[in-house]
Amino acid sequence: MTEKYQNFLRRYGTALGGLALFIFFAIAAENFLNPSNLLNVLKQISFLTILAIGFSFALTTSELDLSFATVGSLACVVAGGLIYHQFSPILAIAAGLFAGLAAGVINGLIVTRLKVPSLIGTLAVSSIATGVSFWITGGVAFVGRWADAFLFLGRGQLVGIPVLVFWTLIIAVFSLFVLKQTRIGIHMIFTGENDEAARLGGIPTQKMKVLGLSISGLTAGFTGVLLASTLSSADPTAADGFMLTAIAAVLLGMTMIEPGHPNVPGSLIGALTIGILSNGLILMGVEYYVQDIILGMIIIASVSVSASTITKAAFSV
Amino acid sequence: MATLLDLKSIHKSYGAVQALNGVSLTVREGEVLAICGDNGAGKSTLIKIVSGAEAATSGQVFLRGKEVHFASPADALACGVATIYQDLALAPRLQVYQNIFMGAELTRATFIPFLRILDKKKMSQAAADYLGRLNIEIKDMKAPVASLSGGQRQAVAISRALRWQASLVIMDEPTAALGVRETAQVLDLIRQLHDQAVTIIIISHNMEDVVAVATRIVILKNGLKLGECLTENLTAAELSRMIALGDLGDRNIIRQTAVE
Ligand SMILES: Nc1ncnc2c1ncn2[C@@H]1O[C@H](COP(=O)(O)OP(=O)(O)OP(=O)(O)O)[C@@H](O)[C@H]1O
Ligand SMILES: [Mg+2]
């Protein structure tokens, strides 16, 4: 095997695996290629990707955010609750985004000021977010006839393509731009690569960590708002199920494109792969718990392949 | 020569450990000052205070006659004091030019007002230029630092100091991890800087290196300054003996001036 070929496999091997998975389900799973099914997959992947990209910002600064899923649920009930009580959609959206951002900033301050490792700190915030969500809804979900303007956010279509897909692409392109083209982006990357070196080089590393965790919170907030709109209901556990899938998407993404680094195209392909996998398995009538088992194995395999300074630092307490 | 840096009675304690016990010293413009002493003498602590990485417990730092209070490395860098740490403080998986411009990236305007993006081309070119000035051959500015040799990495770290247009460059054991050929290369780099009128403070346990590049030597022991001497006609063996005995004998220029 030539070196060039090896390098190609190293960078794109996982993506090829995802493609193989797609072809496999296209042949083996009835209805997989059905347009309505593909549309459904695309929607699921949208939520997954947005959450994954947010999580990867935190991971870029070498911090873990284990709260993004329940923070997404919190934003979902905050936005959904306001819509349910007939407040304006603008206010509901802003409040949902704010809830996510606030949780992210709190995570950042807990990590940088109180010196609580992010693994523990964000887990605690996750618990708090769940508690607050149930408190807000009284344990049930807000369901009702919601304003059309609000529903368009998650259910609308533009030129036959779900609006959700556009949100995902906008966020992906914007994130890629920030990380690759701006000083803030490279300062976040330096912070994750070598915290002490970055500090000695004059980079405000603590601020970068707060920023990374805040972005993760904000994207979680946005996902929560989108979920409320798409489901036209607000459940205090609406986004909880995305926790492991989004983390797996990012870790899977770190095995490709820029091996070892969290990267946006990688997260996108990781989310696509995991979305296809879970949909395909369901269509083939495989028991639901099999997905959980596979997800766990993907996480272990990805991290062992791409074991890097960033992941090691982030996962150590 | 004019005084560039003046340290007055610097104390530093880490809890019960007294790392520096009132060290005063002067650095003159354009000189290469070596700080020597046994392990734990307080050398690294002293330069961390000058570089803004640590705060002194008490004492004063004057730069060009003005008292300064560096709260962070960024403050020191802004005043033209750049430090090359023993571990070089690089991000190994990032590229050569990115490391050289770490924390001081060049940007350019875009068609969107106030939105500036990284000027990668300009940074690559400038990085090649800095390395060229040091006579160091690194072909690919986009190579990850992890792929470089020890001497090349040292050159990247020194280029970073050049990038800050530092007037004072501090190096903590720049040759500690290097082989013979690479050590010679780094000593050459130091001479190049010296020729460019950059003031240098170097910490080293290698006496050969010290007598080869330094113009003046300060010897520390247990957080105190034992004395200073010039490197003229000084052999490495003699310097080792002075450090081991903790006595500079009649080499000590401080005591001589005191006697006069
Ligand atoms: N962060 C710290 N916490 C506690 N003690 C410290 C710390 N940094 C240094 N010290 C102590 O201060 C004293 C001086 O240390 P310093 O690192 O300045 O010595 P040094 O002269 O650079 O030694 P070496 O030649 O081994 O590098 C030592 O006793 C050391 O143990
Ligand atoms: Mg030292």
Side-chain angles (χ1 to χ4, degrees), chain B residues 14 17 19 37-46 54 86 173 205:
Chain B
Y14 294 104
V17 182
D38 281 333
N39 295 112
K43 307 180 294 294
S44 296
T45 306
L46 189 64
E54 304 254 8
Q86 186 164 351
E173 312 213 17
H205 283 289

Side-chain angles (χ1 to χ4, degrees), chain A residues 13 27 34 59 99 129 138 156 176 180 186 189 208 228 231 236 254 259 262-263 289 303 315:
Chain A
I27 296 165
N34 195 318
L59 194 59
L176 198 60
K180 292 289 168 189
I186 196 151
I189 293 172
M208 291 301 131
L231 305 171
M254 285 175 66
N263 63 86
Y289 54 78
V303 175
F315 284 90

Side-chain angles (χ1 to χ4, degrees), chain A residues 177 179-183 186-187 189-190 193-194 196-203 258-261 306-310, chain B residues 52-53 72-74 77 85 89-94 98-99 101-105 107 115-118 120 160 164:
Chain A
F177 173 78
L179 286 170
K180 292 289 168 189
Q181 303 295 341
T182 69
R183 285 191 75 189
I186 196 151
H187 286 183
I189 293 172
F190 271 123
E193 283 293 327
N194 190 342
E196 183 62 5
R199 188 182 75 87
L200 294 173
I203 293 171
E258 292 174 56
H261 299 254
S306 71
S308 68
T309 44
I310 286 188
Chain B
S72 70
L77 287 167
Y85 298 88
L90 299 172
R93 286 184 321 143
L94 293 178
Q98 290 177 321
N99 270 283
F101 282 88
M102 184 197 298
E105 296 81 7
T107 57
L115 177 68
R116 300 187 66 83
I117 61 172
L118 294 175
K120 298 176 184 177
R160 249 175 96 193
W164 285 103

